[in-house]
Amino acid sequence: MENPSAVPFRGILRDVRGRLPCYKQDWVQGLNAGIRILAPTTYIFFASALPVIAFGEQLNRATDGTLTAIQTLVSTAICGILHAIFGGQPLLIIGVAEPTVLMYTYMYNFAEGRDDLGHKLFLAWAGWACMWTALLLCLLAIFGAGSIINRFTRVAGELFGILIAVLFTKEAIKGLVDEFRIPENENPDVDQFKFPWRFANGLFGIVLSFGLLLTALKSRLARSWRYGTSWLRSFCADYGVPLMIVVWTAISYSAYDSVPAGIPRRLSSPNPWATGASSNWAVIKDMHKVPPLYILAALIPAIMISGLYFFDHSVAAQMAQQKEFNLRNPSAYHYDLLLLGIMVFICGLLGIPPSNGVLPQSPMHTKSLATLKRQIVRKELVENAKKSMQKQASVSEIYDNIQQVFTNMEMNNFHHLPNPSLKQLNELEQFKSIDLRGLDTNMNGNAFDPEKHVDGLLPVRVKEQRLSNLVQSLLVGLCVAVMPVIKKVPTSVLWGYFAYMAIESLPGNQFWERFLFFFITPSRRFKVLEDVHASFVETVPFKTIAKFTLFQLLYLLVCFGITWIPIAGILFPAPFFLLIPIRQHILPKLFEPEHLSELDAAEYEESEALPHHPRSSILVEPEANVIDRMEEIEEDVDDAEILDEITTRSRGELKHRPVHVEDRNQVV
């Protein structure tokens, strides 16, 4: 993608040549992770399955039962499995997204109002729209349209990420409000829809939603809890969110015998073995019945869907591979766009809504794997350090051994790459060249503790593999078989989970951080420099930060406003394409080049921390921490214990951490 070209198949072939040497290692890495892979797999499974079920319920109402959660789950599972096995970027999560639901709703309303289409031929006509969409996506891939993703700078990714968070929040609020209302096509004379019980259902829904939201957020911070063993805290951090879904679903049955049936409201979907539930699988036999004029007319929605999928899929892939993650393997935008076209073709023939790359699940997946990789690397280094200590080795000898172990592990990651990048090799050399000899003279009398001191050297790593994506896709498919169990989950729990996903996607978004920066008084801004912070805080004047953030905020409001326009709402990616000329021709006239580079670099890369003495920052602890450190040495500390020291609540927003800053006046 570095040299965009319209030469047919050039981009696809380049992607294949780049990813093929990594294919075996993708599986080996996943298998080598062992049981640890279950934590990120479970985490992303719930993040993928629950929204898909909600969108299926929305489709069920919009299409009078023609499409349900069964179809959205099957589509997500099939496309997810295909992408996990054959995809070029296996960290990308595939699923049915809300824009697809909106598009199918508009298409259904159009078909239902036509006598020669109607309800009976809706899926067949939608199948033709998928055929056209698949053709357009394949042509875009063949002629190198994926190269345009390089022109989307940080400002586009930040805005799109925030927009998705806002849309999830909107759905959560709308869902909670609907808990107080009578659903469409329901009998208002039924007890559960009479005002007292309807009001009680809404209040109970608020309790369940906020209960899930607060406990899920709290569980993500479990590793920093003071109470419980390290194993228990790690278990709560890794599996707390799905556990909270089970807990609050159980709580919803606390008054089961005292309230009318249907309170609280629960997910609804036909069982896969119900009569007519599988009628759409044979839609291909009806496609020839669609009149030729409508076959040609299907090109219109296909153009909109292909443009929507091109943007959504590419941006989701880009955000799953942000530079902050230090991924080793190359991207594959052209090849994955071709594979997406094939998957849309298959979905059209099966009569199910297509799936594409989704947000915020894709970067959430990468972040969870960044945490996993750090656990594995840290365990190896700590074990080596402890063995060296048993042999009465000096501190410098211990670090010599640590350097050698880490170097060997990194070279094993590089051996499958035909041409490791200069950045990768330089990063490895930087670790190898750290001069740690004689550190035992700088300990200030403190004992060396590998559980503490190893973490100062660990770089950011992601466990790049295919297994977690494959397993979570299989689990999504398994949801079809256990639909009677899934239907026991209250809809209000789902709205709470939507809000949780929106909040979890915010940490690490620089636009969000700058927005919060507005609310810090000038006299307190130095506190930002004392904590983890992005480099622009030190290098860009506050007025420039404010002006740039205000521009993004206004643009976000425009994009969000477009989503409210009935049928034009599906064109919300259009303003993001306009950002390309705006970024190239307008923003450089409004901001200084060096400031614009900090605020909107082409790729996310925080500047290095200000120079300081690495020896003291790594090994010398404040006296106030000595007692805490000595107490922790006596405990069997879990390998994942230290992860929150470098990650945010979002499981992996990783940044450079300046230890000392000379001049705080730059942010005042």
Side-chain angles (χ1 to χ4, degrees):
M1 292 183 57
E2 290 76 16
N3 298 307
S5 174
V7 177
F9 295 100
R10 174 174 292 180
I12 296 174
L13 293 176
R14 184 166 55 243
D15 289 345
V16 172
R17 285 194 296 265
R19 290 294 311 198
L20 196 57
C22 312
Y23 190 78
K24 179 181 177 181
Q25 189 70 11
D26 286 342
W27 294 108
V28 173
Q29 289 274 8
L31 295 173
N32 287 344
I35 196 172
R36 291 176 182 271
I37 201 70
L38 290 180
T41 300
T42 306
Y43 179 75
I44 204 62
F45 159 65
F46 278 90
S48 178
L50 289 179
V52 166
I53 294 171
F55 295 146
E57 189 171 1
Q58 186 176 341
L59 266 178
N60 185 28
R61 295 192 300 268
T63 63
D64 298 327
T66 304
L67 293 172
T68 66
I70 298 295
Q71 283 74 36
T72 56
L73 286 170
V74 170
S75 173
T76 300
I78 291 176
C79 294
I81 292 171
L82 290 175
H83 186 80
I85 297 175
F86 302 108
Q89 300 169 99
L91 300 181
L92 178 65
I93 298 299
I94 305 296
V96 174
E98 186 174 16
T100 301
V101 176
L102 295 177
M103 193 69 234
Y104 264 67
T105 300
Y106 297 141
M107 292 171 62
Y108 179 80
N109 293 334
F110 175 84
E112 193 178 31
R114 303 295 186 277
D115 294 335
D116 39 1
L117 279 180
H119 176 87
K120 184 177 180 180
L121 291 180
F122 159 64
L123 288 178
W125 184 61
W128 280 111
C130 288
M131 299 301 104
W132 285 116
T133 302
L135 176 62
L136 293 174
L137 289 173
C138 290
L139 290 175
L140 288 172
I142 290 171
F143 289 98
S147 297
I148 199 174
I149 196 64
N150 265 353
R151 298 181 178 270
F152 287 109
T153 55
R154 183 180 181 85
V155 65
E158 289 175 349
L159 281 172
F160 194 68
I162 290 291
L163 179 62
I164 295 299
V166 171
L167 292 177
F168 268 96
T169 304
K170 185 191 79 170
E171 284 298 315
I173 295 174
K174 179 177 178 295
L176 273 182
V177 172
D178 288 342
E179 295 289 334
F180 290 89
R181 297 173 176 172
I182 301 176
E184 294 182 8
N185 303 323
E186 294 289 349
N187 183 6
D189 296 328
V190 178
D191 286 344
Q192 62 174 304
F193 297 134
K194 293 180 179 179
F195 176 75
W197 289 115
R198 185 157 38 94
F199 188 73
N201 176 79
L203 292 179
F204 196 19
I206 291 177
V207 172
L208 294 175
S209 296
F210 279 89
L212 174 71
L213 173 62
L214 297 177
T215 54
L217 291 174
K218 187 67 175 178
S219 70
R220 303 300 299 132
L221 300 175
R223 289 192 178 93
S224 62
W225 292 354
R226 294 182 178 181
Y227 308 104
T229 63
S230 59
W231 178 89
L232 178 62
R233 295 196 299 268
S234 295
F235 178 83
C236 291
D238 290 334
Y239 302 99
V241 177
L243 183 61
M244 289 302 103
I245 294 174
V246 175
V247 168
W248 286 100
T249 298
I251 292 175
S252 71
Y253 281 94
S254 58
Y256 181 75
D257 296 331
S258 305
V259 297
I263 295 179
R265 297 173 191 170
R266 304 184 188 275
L267 297 175
S268 62
S269 176
N271 294 322
W273 50 83
T275 304
S278 59
S279 59
N280 59 317
W281 307 124
V283 68
I284 189 173
K285 67 181 182 181
D286 294 327
M287 292 182 67
H288 71 281
K289 299 178 181 178
V290 178
L293 180 62
Y294 288 108
I295 294 177
L296 184 62
L299 180 61
I300 298 175
I303 293 174
M304 293 188 286
I305 295 175
S306 58
L308 183 69
Y309 281 9
F310 169 72
F311 179 81
D312 280 6
H313 198 75
S314 299
V315 172
Q318 186 187 46
M319 296 188 70
Q321 299 176 98
Q322 297 175 68
K323 194 161 187 177
E324 62 183 10
F325 296 129
N326 288 334
L327 300 184
R328 302 299 192 192
N329 299 337
S331 60
Y333 295 105
H334 305 89
Y335 171 76
D336 277 353
L337 197 59
L338 177 67
L339 181 62
L340 176 63
I342 296 173
M343 293 189 297
V344 171
F345 181 83
I346 294 173
C347 290
L349 294 181
L350 294 178
I352 56 180
S355 296
N356 64 289
V358 290
L359 289 171
Q361 292 92 328
S362 295
M364 287 170 65
H365 183 215
T366 308
K367 291 174 183 179
S368 66
L369 294 172
T371 301
L372 171 66
K373 179 65 175 178
R374 182 176 175 85
Q375 295 178 34
I376 295 173
V377 174
R378 183 181 186 276
K379 181 178 180 180
E380 294 290 334
L381 299 188
V382 170
E383 287 180 354
N384 180 270
K386 289 181 176 179
K387 290 179 181 178
S388 299
M389 293 176 67
Q390 291 173 358
K391 298 178 181 180
Q392 304 299 317
S394 65
V395 176
S396 60
E397 290 173 339
I398 292 173
Y399 271 85
D400 283 341
N401 294 335
I402 290 176
Q403 287 173 331
Q404 185 60 44
V405 171
F406 181 80
T407 300
N408 292 339
M409 294 178 70
E410 290 299 283
M411 290 310 297
N412 288 335
N413 291 333
F414 287 147
H415 82 275
H416 66 283
L417 297 177
N419 295 302
S421 70
L422 181 61
K423 176 183 178 297
Q424 293 168 344
L425 296 177
N426 285 342
E427 189 179 56
L428 181 59
E429 288 299 321
Q430 183 180 11
F431 184 89
K432 291 166 62 178
S433 63
I434 296 176
D435 183 11
L436 296 167
R437 301 183 185 279
L439 285 174
D440 38 358
T441 62
N442 293 322
M443 296 294 293
N444 289 345
N446 295 333
F448 174 75
D449 181 8
E451 296 286 355
K452 289 278 188 179
H453 300 145
V454 163
D455 294 281
L457 298 174
L458 289 181
V460 178
R461 291 291 180 268
V462 172
K463 195 73 173 177
E464 298 182 64
Q465 43 73 49
R466 297 175 180 268
L467 191 59
S468 60
N469 202 345
L470 176 62
V471 174
Q472 74 88 19
S473 298
L474 291 171
L475 290 175
V476 170
L478 184 62
C479 288
V480 176
V482 295
M483 184 56 69
V485 177
I486 292 176
K487 289 193 293 185
K488 296 183 181 298
V489 178
T491 54
S492 51
V493 169
L494 190 65
W495 310 137
Y497 189 78
F498 271 35
Y500 165 78
M501 289 183 63
I503 294 174
E504 277 291 279
S505 67
L506 295 178
N509 189 303
Q510 199 181 91
F511 172 36
W512 174 250
E513 293 174 354
R514 282 187 273 104
F515 179 75
L516 295 180
F517 200 31
F518 280 171
F519 300 96
I520 302 176
T521 59
S523 61
R524 303 288 292 177
R525 286 178 194 152
F526 72 91
K527 290 288 186 181
V528 177
L529 295 175
E530 293 180 349
D531 198 0
V532 183
H533 61 275
S535 59
F536 71 85
V537 177
E538 303 176 29
T539 59
V540 182
F542 178 75
K543 290 184 178 180
T544 302
I545 295 175
K547 185 167 67 171
F548 189 82
T549 306
L550 183 61
F551 159 74
Q552 280 188 289
L553 180 61
L554 294 176
Y555 210 89
L556 173 66
L557 293 177
V558 171
C559 295
F560 181 64
I562 291 177
T563 63
W564 287 85
I565 303 175
I567 192 166
I570 60 173
L571 299 178
F572 74 91
F576 291 94
F577 285 99
L578 289 177
L579 278 175
I580 296 176
I582 291 175
R583 173 61 177 84
Q584 290 181 340
H585 305 293
I586 298 179
L587 292 185
K589 298 179 180 179
L590 301 177
F591 301 93
E592 296 293 332
E594 60 272 17
H595 296 159
L596 193 58
S597 177
E598 285 284 345
L599 296 171
D600 188 31
E603 294 180 344
Y604 177 66
E605 184 177 14
E606 301 286 4
S607 297
E608 295 293 336
L610 293 180
H612 62 282
H613 298 292
R615 296 180 181 178
S616 60
S617 67
I618 294 173
L619 294 178
V620 178
E621 299 178 69
E623 293 182 3
N625 294 334
V626 173
I627 296 178
D628 294 337
R629 176 182 56 76
M630 295 302 294
E631 291 177 350
E632 290 182 10
I633 291 177
E634 299 175 358
E635 180 186 3
D636 181 18
V637 182
D638 184 83
D639 296 323
E641 186 83 34
I642 201 68
L643 291 176
D644 287 337
E645 295 297 325
I646 65 157
T647 62
T648 64
R649 192 166 11 87
S650 192
R651 292 179 62 94
E653 169 56 22
L654 304 151
K655 296 184 176 182
H656 297 287
R657 294 179 171 251
V659 174
H660 177 66
V661 177
E662 298 293 341
D663 184 10
R664 296 174 178 170
N665 295 328
Q666 296 184 44
V667 297
V668 178

